[in-house]
Amino acid sequence: MILTIIRIIAVALTAYSVGLVFMSNFNMGNLLVWLLTAATVGYSVWYRPINRWFSTGVGRVIGMVLLAGVLVYAALLVFVSVSGYTNLATGNEQVVVVLGAGLRGDRPSLLLRYRLDKAYEYACEHPDALIITTGGQGRDETVPEGQAMRDYLIEKGLDPSRVLQETKSTSTEENFLFARQILLDHGMAEDTPIVYVTNAFHCYRAGEYARRAGFEQANALPAGISFLSVLPCYLREVLAVLYYWVFKTSQSGAMHAMVGLLSLNKKFFYK
């Protein structure tokens, strides 16, 4: 029975992985899905010799290490999933910071539209709130993300005077650093309550970067995500959280050289 379930999962993952090849460019999220698929398919085909090897002395030790790693990764997946819905907006925030997530040309991607639509809902419910859209221009984008995001919200009906744009940042860390400077330039204090809008899987790290940028009161407004993007996004985010815990910043260390590899700015997620 267990083997049958594993084989069904293997078939589903294989179909999904093939879809990623044609609908998406290479990125760390996809790589993790492909590795998971290879491991599942491999076990479903060669389960007898694999079980036999794991019953040996060396195999037993390696199996225990692998099991521990899987359990830790699973626990971190739960942490990422749950933490996205903690520290939620109170409704008293005066500023909405919308984090960028990639464009298709000059239009917000699917993932980014989830964020913008959530920000729009909050802005409509809180007509005195100021909105800051954040994000610079990527290599495959025709305008800065912050500009396209502002245009999107204005097209939906927000007063242009309520929407400020930040167009130089290249990371979540810079999103907050530059947004904070915009607030200070507009005469607002560092303790002005803000709410940051991003997808739920990203909320924990976003909150940490907000505090590191100097925001004393920052709460989350988690947006949704398409079903097909869940697995790559959450698998990747575990590695991103681990990286943050070790290095704290994306401006130095190995992360700076791996930005392209770790990026989610791919057409599968941003169609």
Side-chain angles (χ1 to χ4, degrees):
M1 180 64 177
I2 295 178
L3 182 59
T4 300
I5 294 175
I6 292 174
R7 285 174 171 169
I8 292 173
I9 294 174
V11 171
L13 283 174
T14 299
Y16 182 63
S17 294
V18 171
L20 288 179
V21 172
F22 292 100
M23 294 185 292
S24 173
N25 297 327
F26 177 82
N27 63 69
M28 183 59 74
N30 288 358
L31 176 60
L32 292 172
V33 172
W34 293 331
L35 290 174
L36 177 62
T37 300
T40 306
V41 171
Y43 181 78
S44 69
V45 174
W46 296 293
Y47 66 95
R48 285 195 179 92
I50 290 175
N51 287 343
R52 192 180 310 120
W53 185 78
F54 276 127
S55 66
T56 65
V58 175
R60 187 177 295 111
V61 173
I62 294 177
M64 292 176 64
V65 172
L66 289 175
L67 178 60
V70 169
L71 292 176
V72 170
Y73 211 100
L76 289 172
L77 280 173
V78 172
F79 171 79
V80 168
S81 301
V82 173
S83 64
Y85 296 95
T86 60
N87 189 39
L88 295 177
T90 64
N92 297 320
E93 294 82 7
Q94 301 174 28
V95 178
V96 181
V97 178
V98 193
L99 304 182
L103 306 177
R104 294 302 304 274
D106 63 351
R107 302 297 298 173
S109 60
L110 175 62
L111 200 65
L112 184 51
R113 292 199 300 272
Y114 277 107
R115 301 182 185 188
L116 290 167
D117 290 342
K118 180 64 70 171
Y120 177 77
E121 292 175 8
Y122 186 94
C124 291
E125 295 171 359
H126 303 82
D128 295 328
L130 183 70
I131 297 88
I132 301 179
T133 57
T134 64
Q137 184 171 342
R139 287 172 294 182
D140 58 347
E141 298 170 349
T142 58
V143 298
E145 292 175 14
Q147 177 183 329
M149 295 160 67
R150 180 177 187 268
D151 292 342
Y152 180 89
L153 291 174
I154 292 173
E155 288 175 6
K156 285 181 70 70
L158 291 188
D159 186 336
S161 65
R162 295 181 61 192
V163 189
L164 305 179
Q165 63 183 24
E166 179 281 309
T167 60
K168 301 297 183 183
S169 59
T170 60
S171 66
T172 301
E173 189 172 7
E174 290 183 347
N175 287 161
F176 286 111
L177 287 171
F178 298 164
R180 174 178 175 273
Q181 189 58 52
I182 290 176
L183 291 183
L184 294 178
D185 291 344
H186 281 75
M188 295 189 177
E190 292 183 347
D191 61 353
T192 298
I194 74 161
V195 57
Y196 54 89
V197 185
T198 187
N199 306 96
F201 69 88
H202 186 230
C203 280
Y204 167 74
R205 278 195 307 126
E208 293 299 303
Y209 282 129
R211 282 181 281 276
R212 288 179 60 83
F215 287 108
E216 299 179 10
Q217 301 184 57
N219 296 316
L221 189 61
I225 186 174
S226 68
F227 177 75
L228 292 177
S229 301
V230 169
L231 192 56
C233 288
Y234 277 82
L235 288 176
R236 170 197 176 273
E237 187 64 17
V238 168
L239 297 185
V241 167
L242 288 172
Y243 188 96
Y244 170 77
W245 285 344
V246 174
F247 296 101
K248 300 302 182 184
T249 177
S250 61
Q251 302 307 307
S252 61
M255 175 64 83
H256 199 64
M258 295 176 68
V259 168
L261 179 64
L262 294 174
S263 174
L264 285 177
N265 189 11
K266 308 297 178 182
K267 58 187 178 182
F268 174 71
F269 302 107
Y270 296 128
K271 60 189 176 182

